[in-house]
Amino acid sequence: MDKIEFFCEALKRIRIETENGADRITEEGVLPTTVNGIPIRKLFISNVAQRTTYKELAALFSKYGKVESCYLKTTYGKSNYAFVTFTNVMSAIRAREDGSKKEINLHNRDLKVMPADPWHQPDSIQIKRYNLTKNINKSRKKSSIEETNHNSVQNHINAPIDALNDDCLIHIFLYLPIKNRIAIERVCKRWRAVAQKSWYTVKKLDLSHHAWGISANDKKICTSDLREVLLRCGRFLNHIDISQCYPSLTRSIDLLAKNCTNIKKLNLGYSLSMPFSRHICDRDFKTLFEMNKGLRYLNLYQMSISGKCLNFLSSNAFEELVLNSCDGIQESYFANALANLTSLKSLLIKDCVCITSRILEPIGKYCTNLKEFELTRFLSVPMCEDALQITELVNLEILRLIQNGFINDDFLIALASKCKQLIYLDINGCYNVTDTGLQAVATLPKLETLIINNLEKVTAVGLDSMCNIRQLECRSCISINDTGLAILIHVSPNLEVLDLTGCKCVTNDIIDVAEYVTSRRSNNIFLKIYIGGTSVTRYNHTSPNLLILRVPSKKNIIILRSYVRYLEFLNSLIETKKRTTHM
């Protein structure tokens, strides 16, 4: 029983001393060494708070002397502890003395300071042997690596690619497809650094099949691939084109907003918004527009948006907007956006079913600075007053009104009287236009390009006022004859392109007139006449300023392409046979 009581008393003393964080103190003070005579420089610290960092511990104990190292172990749900090693014994003694007096506090806790175990002390024999063995192994490994590198350099010293400097490699890497530029980072450390540096000069990101380096039938570009590219060059890009359809590339608008902040030109296709709702797409576009206040050009193709996000475009910087087949746009949001975009210079609306004639009034009211406007296949038939709102855009230089039935002679007369700055006019497929409307258009003083394809009611009579015209396209205008065209060629000395493809009433007389007029031109301007699908049978002429071109039909083009593929197949067979014979 005496032995049992003795051991119980000893364990009780050890527990009390441990709980108090006390160190064994003799009458002379704190002992500088362990029982085995090993100097105590490493201390064990307990009762450490969860939020404590090793920097805070090192700063706290540095007041006792220079701290050689500090190790902190954080165990979630358990007690945390640390080891602090001083460069000398006296610093450790001072820290132990304050620890025994509970004078070391951090985060409202009294730290318990005790000497580390003898075998953990830096001056113990075990530690010295371990460090010696570690240094020997480290030196051996280093010498082995140096020898390997030396042999590798000797083996590859004659490789031409190693003789190039980093600037040359960057120039070469820029010609590689995107997929290969990411793959070459795995060649070696130097190529990895150079390849990553080459992304700094990338200003345009084009995710076409050719630029990415994949076949036309491959749709394997996904959001993770785009993220890898944007992490390398997103902050340097100012032009992004993702107009091609990639079914696996979804919800990438938010990715663009997080990685790209200097975009000035943006071209996006419908795969980026599938299969999310308009609300989500508007929210992602809002973030993207807020992060890119310098955005100037935006082209959206079949995007599922309501138009509310367009209100967050920069009113001072934004200049060009293209909406192609965006069927979900609401007119109220779109009208508010037009009122905000005071610097808008180009507006192109193509095949947007939900946009009706009511939007023409805000366009004529707010977009007075427009230089370019396009309205293609406008399904809604506007009233005469609504259609005339387009003529209020007096600063227009380029106007495309393609396949719109509401364009008639009255509209063209009003247009010619107000829009005197027009240089380019396209009324392709506007079947209600007659010679009366063309006579009004001919009075435009600056008009250089006129496209009147597929107009069955025009005969080209009355175009004798178009003295500055340079290009006239009138494909498949079955009523156009030689009389009006002959007058046009006589009065237009700057005419360069005359496309008569599909005009069956045009005969050899037009070639005679063109030969006579161009041979006497003093400005030496070359005239090209396309006569495919006409009644012209004469191809020879004597004028040095005349070129007659017969454009092949679609059937002949398909046959020609098939023949080209057949020749490419034969060339590949010949090359394969040559390789096999050399082997």
Side-chain angles (χ1 to χ4, degrees), residues 178 182 199 202 204-207 212 222-242 249 251-261 263 266 272 288:
I178 296 175
I182 297 177
W199 291 100
V202 176
K204 178 182 178 181
L205 178 61
D206 183 8
L207 291 191
W212 191 268
C222 57
T223 308
S224 60
D225 299 328
L226 179 60
R227 180 178 180 275
E228 290 294 326
V229 175
L230 294 180
L231 287 176
R232 290 167 170 81
C233 63
R235 60 187 182 277
F236 309 110
L237 295 175
N238 52 35
H239 184 187
I240 297 179
D241 186 356
I242 320 180
L249 195 64
R251 193 67 193 279
S252 299
I253 303 172
D254 183 58
L255 192 62
L256 294 176
K258 292 179 180 178
N259 295 278
C260 306
T261 57
I263 304 176
L266 189 60
L272 274 72
L288 178 62

Side-chain angles (χ1 to χ4, degrees), residues 1-8:
M1 294 294 294
D2 296 337
K3 292 183 179 181
I4 295 176
E5 293 179 357
F6 175 77
F7 281 113
C8 290

Side-chain angles (χ1 to χ4, degrees), residues 242-312:
I242 320 180
S243 56
Q244 295 212 13
C245 174
Y246 297 106
S248 57
L249 195 64
T250 59
R251 193 67 193 279
S252 299
I253 303 172
D254 183 58
L255 192 62
L256 294 176
K258 292 179 180 178
N259 295 278
C260 306
T261 57
N262 296 313
I263 304 176
K264 291 181 173 56
K265 190 172 183 179
L266 189 60
N267 191 354
L268 301 179
Y270 75 97
S271 61
L272 274 72
S273 62
M274 295 176 59
F276 301 98
S277 64
R278 297 175 189 173
H279 172 72
I280 296 177
C281 291
D282 278 325
R283 183 191 63 190
D284 292 344
F285 270 113
K286 173 188 174 183
T287 307
L288 178 62
F289 296 155
E290 288 178 342
M291 295 299 296
N292 294 271
K293 290 299 184 181
L295 186 64
R296 297 179 181 178
Y297 174 89
L298 178 63
N299 187 347
L300 301 179
Y301 174 67
Q302 292 186 357
M303 298 300 294
S304 178
I305 60 173
S306 65
K308 189 175 182 180
C309 59
L310 300 177
N311 291 296
F312 297 93

Side-chain angles (χ1 to χ4, degrees), residues 470-473 495-499 526-528 530:
R470 291 182 176 271
Q471 179 178 351
L472 175 63
E473 291 186 13
L495 186 62
E496 299 177 359
V497 178
L498 180 59
D499 194 345
F526 213 78
L527 174 60
K528 300 178 184 178
Y530 295 86

